[in-house]
Amino acid sequence: MVVKKRLTKQKRAILSYLKSVHTHPSAEHIYSEVKKELPLISLATVYRNLSQMAQDGHILKLELEGEYHFDADVSLHQHCICTKCKKIIDNHDSTISILAMQKSKIQGFHPTRAQVFLQGTCFECSNN
Ligand SMILES: [Zn+2]
Ligand SMILES: [Zn+2]
């Protein structure tokens, strides 16, 4: 369950930047953008706030090839990752995520969230 907490100025700045893009940026990238608005913010603060917001259900934290990426879109959607240019593209079909949860067959395990990743080549990389 998502607990509604008042967001700090730092969290609001991080969230509004994340909502403005669909590129699933890394913490370092978010830091460099949010720093333009809040020059005194530190990378450690950005890391801590991102982790807390992911835990509170405000954002998604995705681990891809050893790096964390963040997403303000918390709806059930899938991520297509281009293995050539590393772009992460959203695929919105909640039935896929729901099906993945319904089809899990481990006794006593109750899935609450599915992260579905598809790997391949994007349109631009397939045509070059
Ligand atoms: Zn690509
Ligand atoms: Zn996404």
Side-chain angles (χ1 to χ4, degrees), residues 7-128:
L7 296 179
T8 60
K9 184 172 71 180
Q10 287 88 348
K11 284 182 182 171
R12 283 201 307 272
I14 292 168
L15 195 59
S16 79
Y17 167 68
L18 257 188
K19 280 185 172 162
S20 72
V21 294
H22 297 280
T23 49
H24 309 81
S26 64
E28 287 77 11
H29 190 88
I30 295 165
Y31 167 66
S32 68
E33 291 297 322
V34 171
K35 213 173 158 39
K36 292 173 189 168
E37 198 187 324
L38 302 172
L40 298 176
I41 200 164
S42 70
L43 181 58
T45 301
V46 171
Y47 273 126
R48 194 178 61 244
N49 285 329
L50 285 168
S51 290
Q52 285 172 357
M53 286 194 290
Q55 242 167 27
D56 292 342
H58 292 294
I59 59 170
L60 296 181
K61 185 179 184 178
L62 315 167
E63 193 183 347
L64 302 169
E65 292 173 359
E67 207 186 22
Y68 288 118
H69 293 264
F70 298 88
D71 192 352
D73 182 355
V74 292
S75 69
L76 279 179
H77 66 283
Q78 302 78 43
H79 292 107
C80 302
I81 301 133
C82 177
T83 51
K84 288 193 180 169
C85 69
K86 309 292 176 201
K87 183 160 55 196
I88 305 166
I89 310 156
D90 288 325
N91 182 65
H92 285 94
D93 185 344
S94 62
T95 57
I96 296 172
S97 299
I98 291 165
L99 200 66
M101 291 194 276
Q102 287 172 342
K103 293 280 184 187
S104 90
K105 288 193 172 63
I106 297 162
Q107 181 102 51
F109 181 76
H110 303 287
T112 51
R113 176 111 222 155
Q115 286 201 9
V116 179
F117 295 103
L118 304 175
Q119 285 184 321
T121 40
C122 72
F123 179 80
E124 288 79 14
C125 291
S126 307
N127 288 283
N128 280 314

